Amino acid sequence: MMARNNEQPLVGIAMGSDSDLKIMQHVGIALEQFEVPFEERVVSAHRTPEKMMKYGHEAVQRGLHVIVAGAGGSAHLPGMLASETRLPVLGVAIESSPDPTNAALGSMIRMPKGAPLATMGKNEAAAYNAGLEAARILAISDPELAEKYDDFMRRQAAEVEEKDALLQEMGSAAYLSRDK
Ligand code: RP5
């Protein structure tokens, strides 16, 4: 959940622009179901470079455990944050305008040796999965969170089994035209 009052956020969600929030909100949506406290910050590599460096530099002492960073365009934010902290940083590429060259994603998967950036991919599913991945990292040292995450996986698997059983029962034509 969004860290409130004096609550310590464990996941820092940083994005290059408020225009990234439509996609990056899905990081928080994923974390909320496990009640993991997070913060959401606009930190631009190009418009506020000093703020970006400070955010990365102070992340450990501020008590963050994982950073999820999203940016579009030339997308320097995730890589630069990963270069400024030893915390795990998960990158999300935002396609803010049609980008046949995949520049944002490309900038994240071409980090130089010695500067790791875990890159989740592009857009909403990647942002949601980045939230899940942050929860999985935190669950390594938090048994209560680990149990919640195992439960999430069990429920997800059960939903697939229910759908498969219904498909067997109805056949594909009726399945596709059913009221959900
Ligand atoms: C990047 O440029 C941001 O991450 C965003 O994806 C893109 C466009 O930013 P705005 O012009 O919408 O603020 O730095």
Side-chain angles (χ1 to χ4, degrees), residues 133-146:
E133 194 72 350
R136 289 156 76 122
I137 291 168
L138 294 169
I140 292 169
S141 55
D142 181 339
E144 200 180 322
L145 177 56

Side-chain angles (χ1 to χ4, degrees), residues 15-20 44 46-47 70-73 94 96:
M15 62 204 89
S17 168
D18 64 335
S19 67
D20 299 330
S44 170
H46 305 112
R47 295 169 180 149
I94 311 286
S96 36

Side-chain angles (χ1 to χ4, degrees), residues 44-132:
S44 170
H46 305 112
R47 295 169 180 149
T48 62
E50 286 177 13
K51 179 181 179 183
M52 171 191 65
M53 296 307 276
K54 189 168 187 288
Y55 189 80
H57 192 67
E58 293 179 352
V60 170
Q61 70 195 62
R62 288 188 54 240
L64 296 178
H65 289 200
V66 186
I67 292 175
V68 179
S74 57
H76 287 108
L77 177 68
M80 289 304 292
L81 287 178
S83 303
E84 191 56 38
T85 181
R86 64 169 160 74
L87 293 181
V89 180
L90 311 178
V92 177
I94 311 286
E95 199 169 75
S96 36
S97 54
D99 175 19
T101 64
N102 273 327
L105 190 59
S107 74
M108 295 181 202
I109 60 174
R110 290 194 185 88
M111 291 293 285
K113 188 176 180 181
L117 171 65
T119 302
M120 301 304 296
K122 282 205 300 193
N123 293 340
E124 187 179 314
Y128 186 81
N129 280 345
L132 294 185

Side-chain angles (χ1 to χ4, degrees), residues 161-173:
E161 291 306 327
E162 277 168 31
K163 288 175 185 167
D164 183 43
L166 197 59
L167 175 61
Q168 303 316 305
E169 188 186 314
M170 298 178 80
S172 55

